Tab-separated table of all heavy atoms in Angstrom:
chain	number	residue	atom	x	y	z
A	37	ASN	N	-174.553	-52.093	-143.942
A	37	ASN	CA	-174.156	-51.978	-145.336
A	37	ASN	C	-172.752	-51.420	-145.405
A	37	ASN	O	-172.465	-50.384	-144.825
A	37	ASN	CB	-175.099	-51.034	-146.100
A	37	ASN	CG	-176.486	-51.602	-146.212
A	37	ASN	OD1	-176.664	-52.744	-146.623
A	37	ASN	ND2	-177.490	-50.823	-145.825
A	177	ASP	N	-150.055	-32.761	-135.537
A	177	ASP	CA	-150.389	-32.878	-134.115
A	177	ASP	C	-151.266	-34.096	-133.830
A	177	ASP	O	-151.458	-34.467	-132.670
A	177	ASP	CB	-151.117	-31.618	-133.637
A	177	ASP	CG	-150.223	-30.392	-133.702
A	177	ASP	OD1	-149.007	-30.551	-133.486
A	177	ASP	OD2	-150.744	-29.293	-133.983
A	179	THR	N	-154.631	-36.920	-135.506
A	179	THR	CA	-155.822	-37.101	-136.347
A	179	THR	C	-157.068	-36.844	-135.511
A	179	THR	O	-157.110	-37.148	-134.315
A	179	THR	CB	-155.854	-38.522	-136.932
A	179	THR	OG1	-154.750	-38.673	-137.820
A	179	THR	CG2	-157.141	-38.800	-137.688
A	197	VAL	N	-175.327	-27.067	-141.066
A	197	VAL	CA	-174.847	-27.714	-139.846
A	197	VAL	C	-175.843	-27.480	-138.715
A	197	VAL	O	-176.217	-26.348	-138.409
A	197	VAL	CB	-173.457	-27.187	-139.449
A	197	VAL	CG1	-173.027	-27.784	-138.119
A	197	VAL	CG2	-172.432	-27.509	-140.531
A	219	ASN	N	-163.990	-47.392	-138.150
A	219	ASN	CA	-165.138	-48.152	-137.655
A	219	ASN	C	-166.454	-47.469	-137.990
A	219	ASN	O	-167.417	-48.119	-138.419
A	219	ASN	CB	-165.030	-48.352	-136.137
A	219	ASN	CG	-166.179	-49.176	-135.596
A	219	ASN	OD1	-166.413	-50.305	-136.024
A	219	ASN	ND2	-166.915	-48.619	-134.649
A	248	TYR	N	-171.884	-40.829	-125.501
A	248	TYR	CA	-173.171	-40.133	-125.636
A	248	TYR	C	-172.915	-38.704	-126.095
A	248	TYR	O	-171.997	-38.038	-125.616
A	248	TYR	CB	-173.919	-40.133	-124.299
A	248	TYR	CG	-174.333	-41.514	-123.861
A	248	TYR	CD1	-173.457	-42.325	-123.142
A	248	TYR	CD2	-175.589	-42.023	-124.167
A	248	TYR	CE1	-173.820	-43.603	-122.746
A	248	TYR	CE2	-175.967	-43.296	-123.785
A	248	TYR	CZ	-175.085	-44.076	-123.073
A	248	TYR	OH	-175.438	-45.342	-122.690
A	254	GLY	N	-175.666	-27.424	-124.498
A	254	GLY	CA	-175.267	-26.035	-124.370
A	254	GLY	C	-176.346	-25.032	-124.723
A	254	GLY	O	-176.145	-23.830	-124.543
A	352	ILE	N	-197.697	-47.174	-124.286
A	352	ILE	CA	-198.002	-46.665	-125.619
A	352	ILE	C	-199.400	-46.085	-125.564
A	352	ILE	O	-200.361	-46.805	-125.274
A	352	ILE	CB	-197.942	-47.777	-126.680
A	352	ILE	CG1	-196.528	-48.363	-126.785
A	352	ILE	CG2	-198.396	-47.261	-128.039
A	352	ILE	CD1	-196.433	-49.546	-127.736
A	375	ASP	N	-203.243	-45.473	-114.918
A	375	ASP	CA	-203.697	-45.336	-113.534
A	375	ASP	C	-203.542	-46.641	-112.763
A	375	ASP	O	-203.942	-46.743	-111.597
A	375	ASP	CB	-205.147	-44.849	-113.480
A	375	ASP	CG	-206.132	-45.834	-114.113
A	375	ASP	OD1	-205.710	-46.930	-114.532
A	375	ASP	OD2	-207.336	-45.493	-114.191
A	430	ASN	N	-190.049	-58.969	-133.006
A	430	ASN	CA	-190.862	-59.490	-131.917
A	430	ASN	C	-190.598	-58.680	-130.660
A	430	ASN	O	-189.456	-58.448	-130.286
A	430	ASN	CB	-190.553	-60.965	-131.662
A	430	ASN	CG	-191.033	-61.863	-132.773
A	430	ASN	OD1	-191.807	-61.454	-133.622
A	430	ASN	ND2	-190.576	-63.099	-132.779
A	431	GLY	N	-191.650	-58.264	-129.989
A	431	GLY	CA	-191.515	-57.447	-128.800
A	431	GLY	C	-192.264	-56.142	-129.002
A	431	GLY	O	-193.234	-56.073	-129.763
Side-chain angles (χ1 to χ4, degrees):
N37 293 309
D177 295 327
T179 295
V197 175
N219 182 57
Y248 294 86
I352 297 175
D375 63 4
N430 290 346

